[in-house]
Amino acid sequence: MTSGRDEAARAESGPANPAGDESLADAFGAVARQLRDKSAETLAPWDITPAHLRALRTLSRHGTMRLSELSDHLQIAPRTATEVADALQARDLVRRRADPGDRRATLVEVTEHGASVLAEIRAARGTEAGRIFGRLSPADRAELARILSKLRD
């Protein structure tokens, strides 16, 4: 009969931990860094940062919104949302216009060019994800997605 402590020690260092003596957090961090680096490399041709991409995807998914709503969706400061919108507008990826319901507020929306660039980025990132996650079997990818979803919630 084994104790909970024995099982925990085995889970940390045994066959269930393919990294051997590398901790789960270290392994997760290494994969996250690899994903971030590959993402930055993939986004470079469009001169877009991951933060810009998050904003562009949010606007594409939820439609036209006030800058204050964008900052809420992205969980960033309103000033930062303004800076992100400035950067995207400078690349003709979004446009701003006055909110007809409140002239003090500004609406931001994806342009046609922004939608086109977003589609190109999605295709490139799909290829990028395929290279990284393609090493896993379909069952392993499904299990990883399930586990990450559980951790995210």
Side-chain angles (χ1 to χ4, degrees):
M1 186 158 233
T2 62
S3 73
R5 192 174 34 206
D6 292 340
E7 289 175 16
R10 208 173 18 263
E12 180 69 26
S13 63
N17 184 358
D21 51 352
E22 184 178 39
S23 78
L24 185 58
D26 289 342
F28 187 84
V31 172
R33 278 188 301 281
Q34 183 182 14
L35 285 169
R36 267 193 313 275
D37 291 348
K38 187 48 96 174
S39 180
E41 181 181 312
T42 300
L43 294 175
W46 294 279
D47 192 27
I48 291 180
T49 68
H52 296 157
L53 179 60
R54 281 184 59 228
L56 195 58
R57 282 193 330 226
T58 297
L59 289 166
S60 178
R61 186 177 311 119
H62 298 286
T64 303
M65 65 179 66
R66 290 180 176 181
L67 281 171
S68 60
E69 291 174 279
L70 181 61
S71 77
D72 289 344
H73 275 283
L74 298 175
Q75 298 178 341
I76 59 176
R79 178 69 186 133
T80 303
T82 299
E83 291 169 357
V84 168
D86 288 346
L88 293 172
Q89 186 175 14
R91 292 167 184 79
D92 189 34
L93 301 174
V94 302
R95 78 168 103 350
R96 289 184 173 131
R97 60 183 169 88
D99 184 341
D102 181 354
R103 293 261 181 217
R104 296 170 297 168
T106 301
L107 296 175
V108 62
E109 62 192 358
V110 177
T111 62
E112 285 183 37
H113 177 63
S116 172
V117 165
L118 187 56
E120 292 172 19
I121 290 171
R122 282 184 177 139
R125 290 192 85 190
T127 302
E128 159 198 319
R131 279 193 296 267
I132 292 170
F133 296 111
R135 295 176 263 180
L136 300 175
S137 71
D140 285 346
R141 283 194 303 271
E143 181 67 2
L144 179 60
R146 183 193 69 75
I147 291 168
L148 292 174
S149 176
K150 193 173 194 176
L151 290 173
R152 185 178 50 207
D153 295 339

